[in-house]
Amino acid sequence: MEVIITASRLAHDLTADRPPVLLDVRWQLSTPGAKAFDGRAAYAAGHLPGAVFVDLDEELASAPGERGRHPLPELAEFGAAMRRAGVSAGRPVVVYDGGQGWAAARAWWLLRWTGHPDVRVLDGGLSAWEGPLSTDVPEPDEGDFEPVPRPTGLLDAAGAAALARSGVLLDARAGERYRGDVEPIDRVGGHIPGAVSAPTNENVGPDGRFLPADELKARFAALGVPDAAQVGVYCGSGVSAAHQALALAVAGIPAELYVGSWSEWSADPSRPVAVGPDPQ
């Protein structure tokens, strides 16, 4: 199953009799005190023709709390949001964002985990698109997608801790947050004991597109992934970690996602915290 799509391939697919559903999921991480990014305004200023805006904070997550800053959305609400966007089980979906790929990957992961058979992310995001943009807001026909979670692929805090001992748990955040040098958002810096630092930005080239599959395989091999029975990923709140899961999928490696991630883990003072470059 292909998990990413080039802009040229997407342009071709959009001319088909049954083109893919397009979802625009522009979003950026906001630090406390900074002005929040307005994805809906960016969408209104110009988007791929036919694309429907999906709000990550409101439709791909539930309210922040004990389960982290971007906990899983309620299934009924997520399904309703996807159907409003025109998502149906029998029609391909292509998701894109402004180019970073994190938000698009979150939508990709959620749709795949809840049973959609054909979801791809536009490699390089909006900046890779060479065609015209539109300011028209489409009104798609109601879709029929009904989310049914898979029994595997999702980690909770206990599962992430166990996987860090029995397999490979990758931390997708920047190295300085992993080490605990800085922590601009969560209660405390550091990482889950046993987790391996694997910053998401190393999955892509200077143009924001994913490295070739063989290069990604080599990257993850250097992190010890081929020797692991299981691979898990986490980040700050389950967004950039979805991008890590997508990169692993490009390399042909299945991975489980700890959605609560560091925002959930670090909120409980009883959970252990490791600092420095060493996993332990």
Side-chain angles (χ1 to χ4, degrees):
M1 174 65 67
E2 295 179 357
V3 294
I4 58 175
I5 185 171
T6 64
S8 59
R9 173 67 183 275
L10 176 58
H12 175 270
D13 288 359
L14 289 173
T15 65
D17 292 337
R18 192 167 174 78
V21 173
L22 285 178
L23 304 181
D24 182 311
V25 197
R26 273 179 274 184
W27 173 90
Q28 290 181 15
L29 178 65
S30 297
T31 56
K35 182 179 179 181
F37 174 77
D38 190 339
R40 195 174 295 277
Y43 169 84
H47 51 266
L48 268 63
V52 177
F53 180 73
V54 173
D55 190 300
L56 186 148
D57 291 317
E58 296 181 3
E59 297 173 314
L60 303 182
S62 53
E66 293 182 355
R67 294 185 298 136
R69 281 183 279 110
H70 288 106
L72 286 175
E74 297 296 329
L75 281 179
E77 295 178 7
F78 172 65
M82 293 299 97
R83 291 190 294 274
R84 284 195 303 270
V87 175
S88 292
R91 187 174 174 186
V93 176
V94 173
V95 191
Y96 71 91
D97 57 26
Q100 192 176 37
W102 295 2
R106 170 76 174 218
W108 165 84
W109 184 86
L110 271 170
L111 282 165
R112 292 290 295 137
W113 180 66
T114 55
H116 198 288
D118 190 352
V119 189
R120 289 168 291 173
V121 170
L122 175 58
D123 195 16
L126 185 66
S127 59
W129 179 254
E130 296 181 351
L133 298 181
S134 173
T135 56
D136 294 337
V137 178
E139 297 182 2
D141 293 335
E142 182 87 359
D144 64 14
F145 178 66
E146 294 287 349
V148 179
R150 290 186 295 162
T152 60
L154 179 67
L155 292 171
D156 59 11
L163 194 148
R165 296 187 297 270
S166 63
V168 175
L169 181 65
L170 300 178
D171 185 316
R173 298 171 300 158
E176 58 267 26
R177 292 185 68 192
Y178 170 88
R179 296 188 299 270
D181 299 342
V182 298
E183 182 44 63
I185 305 175
D186 295 313
R187 185 185 68 84
V188 64
H191 57 270
I192 298 173
V196 177
S197 180
T200 298
N201 62 2
E202 296 180 17
N203 294 327
V204 299
D207 59 0
R209 302 181 193 187
F210 280 101
L211 300 175
D214 57 348
E215 293 184 28
L216 287 171
K217 287 179 183 178
R219 162 170 158 73
F220 293 122
L223 295 170
V225 168
D227 298 327
Q230 253 185 317
V231 181
V233 294
Y234 78 96
C235 57
S237 64
V239 179
S240 65
H243 189 274
Q244 192 86 285
L246 180 59
L248 285 157
V250 172
I253 303 167
E256 296 179 283
L257 176 64
Y258 174 27
V259 174
S261 286
W262 188 248
S263 59
E264 179 187 41
W265 181 276
S266 64
D268 184 346
S270 70
R271 293 192 181 110
V273 171
V275 296
D278 189 277
Q280 302 300 331

